[in-house]
Amino acid sequence: MTSPSRVLVIGIDGVRLDVLREVRTPHLDAVAAEGFLAPVRIDDATPTWSGPCWATVATGVSAARHGITHNVFTGHRLAEHPDFLTLASLAGKRTYLSVGSWEPLATAACGGPLFAAPDRVTFTSYGLDCERGDEAATVDAERELVAADYDVAFVYLGDVDETGHELGVGAEYRAAVERADARVGRLLATVRARSSYAEERWTVIVVTDHGHVDAGGHGGDSDLERTAWIAASGPGIVAGAEMGTLRHVDVAAHVYEAIGLGEAMAGLPLEGKPFASV
Ligand SMILES: [Zn+2]
């Protein structure tokens, strides 16, 4: 019997790469040490809003195809370009979504949900108290990732972005990045504590959608806003290897490849490719 291949994707909203490299993030550092941490340039046709950027991550196609250009998803073409949790579920995989705070990822608010039909959805919101929402999303994932055998999970953390909007990129923002890293650490520990972990092949992908200007906020064309990043480790990812140009569309392609659906999805108009070193 082949060992089950599983994927955990953690989406942390609005984390600037330069700040990430300055603050204390031991758990993300560990993922990077076992694999890579590399910048992603948001393409010029995609506004640096969460809606279009997360849609590109989830669907593996750019805004011209998925049709989401802002944080209201009305007019989207997600039915033609579904998210990777939904397509993995349709292909027989078990999938899980845990979202703190931001409704359109998981609910019908604002034209959502981006993730249409995962097997299990947990949505926890405390309004603009994203820190509390992130904690609830993490606690739920700590339970679910042990209680069930998910092939693909996506956990979303929104506190860093909200802190940036409210307070700018300062001490509080930096502290929020460190809090997010602590939650990454708890999720990784949960996966490693699975009784069957030794027989499983886990891929971990951590990704942000966009950056922030110093005063807090995004949506513009500055390098600070257009620079996102991906960190990942797992089977086929060589530790410390130099990566080629990475794009948000590569996340879905890598997820499919990692769970053995690369060929099954070959007929889709996916724009990305699995992560590969140069
Ligand atoms: Zn934002």
Side-chain angles (χ1 to χ4, degrees):
M1 196 181 94
T2 53
S3 57
S5 297
R6 307 187 190 280
V7 181
L8 170 64
V9 183
I10 304 170
I12 314 178
D13 205 300
V15 180
R16 260 174 51 173
L17 181 59
D18 61 326
V19 173
L20 177 62
R21 285 183 162 143
E22 287 168 11
V23 300
R24 194 176 165 278
T25 53
H27 305 293
L28 267 162
D29 293 350
V31 173
E34 291 169 23
F36 66 86
L37 165 65
V40 168
R41 173 87 184 173
I42 300 167
D43 69 81
D44 290 344
T46 303
T48 58
W49 297 109
S50 290
C53 294
W54 287 124
T56 299
V57 168
T59 63
V61 300
S62 54
R65 281 199 164 94
H66 61 61
I68 295 175
T69 55
H70 208 278
N71 289 346
V72 174
F73 296 0
T74 322
H76 68 68
R77 291 188 289 276
L78 295 174
E80 297 107 284
H81 304 286
D83 64 279
F84 59 73
L85 293 181
T86 296
L87 285 183
S89 286
L90 288 170
K93 303 293 184 181
R94 199 149 182 223
T95 63
Y96 166 60
L97 173 69
S98 186
V99 172
S101 305
W102 199 43
E103 288 92 342
L105 294 179
T107 79
C110 304
L114 173 58
F115 292 94
D119 292 300
R120 182 185 169 88
V121 176
T122 300
F123 173 67
T124 48
S125 179
Y126 295 91
L128 287 181
D129 190 347
C130 293
E131 212 279 319
R132 233 174 130 192
D134 286 1
E135 179 60 19
T138 303
V139 167
D140 192 78
E142 286 178 307
R143 182 179 60 245
E144 278 301 312
L145 291 172
V146 172
D149 295 325
Y150 293 106
D151 299 291
V152 193
F154 183 94
V155 181
Y156 170 82
L157 304 175
D159 174 42
V160 174
D161 185 65
E162 192 57 38
T163 303
H165 283 291
E166 287 179 13
L167 301 168
V169 178
E172 292 292 335
Y173 178 89
R174 300 161 81 87
V177 175
E178 294 185 349
R179 283 198 297 275
D181 181 71
R183 294 195 167 102
V184 169
R186 286 162 58 190
L187 296 170
L188 297 181
T190 300
V191 162
R192 291 195 187 106
R194 287 172 53 80
S195 59
S196 48
Y197 178 74
E199 293 88 52
E200 296 170 345
R201 292 157 51 85
W202 278 88
T203 296
V204 174
I205 301 171
V206 191
V207 54
T208 200
D209 51 345
H210 55 67
H212 265 268
V213 295
D214 286 339
H218 52 89
D221 285 324
S222 69
D223 285 345
L224 288 175
E225 293 157 280
R226 287 221 167 268
T227 303
W229 52 265
I230 296 171
S233 64
I237 298 174
V238 180
E242 191 67 31
M243 305 304 291
T245 302
L246 288 172
R247 300 186 301 155
H248 273 147
V249 287
D250 296 335
V251 173
H254 196 88
V255 168
Y256 294 136
E257 184 75 13
I259 56 173
L261 292 179
E263 278 186 32
M265 301 299 171
L268 301 178
L270 295 175
E271 296 172 22
K273 54 187 184 342
F275 307 143
S277 47
V278 291

